[in-house]
Amino acid sequence: MKKSVFYHAGCPVCLSAEHDIIDIIGVENVEIIHLGEDTDKIKAAERAGVQSVPALVTPNGNVLHINFGASLEDVKK
């Protein structure tokens, strides 16, 4: 089974969402990507359709924007 991908930037909103996502779908079913630390993954997030973080990209390619922590433009700075 393909994993979901959870993108975040390390802010309190993002970290809270990360904990909830892990509780809901399990750590084995999600790849966690901290875009503030792993900036080379920003382009992949954009290609997937992520516009803001925190966001979860499902195995089907759907992007679920969760609350609003920061836009990807803010993360790039």
Side-chain angles (χ1 to χ4, degrees), residues 28-74:
E28 66 280 355
N29 296 313
V30 63
E31 178 182 0
I32 307 293
I33 298 177
H34 185 312
L35 293 174
E37 296 174 351
D38 202 356
T39 57
D40 61 322
K41 302 272 176 111
I42 292 174
K43 293 286 186 202
E46 289 177 319
R47 283 191 302 274
V50 174
Q51 298 175 4
S52 64
V53 290
L56 181 72
V57 180
T58 69
N60 294 338
N62 294 316
V63 180
L64 308 175
H65 289 95
I66 304 165
N67 209 330
F68 183 81
S71 72
L72 277 190
E73 291 304 314
D74 291 336

Side-chain angles (χ1 to χ4, degrees), residues 7-31:
Y7 293 98
H8 74 89
C11 69
V13 169
C14 293
L15 293 176
S16 175
E18 176 184 344
H19 292 255
D20 288 343
I21 291 297
I22 289 171
D23 286 345
I24 293 167
I25 66 174
V27 71
E28 66 280 355
N29 296 313
V30 63
E31 178 182 0

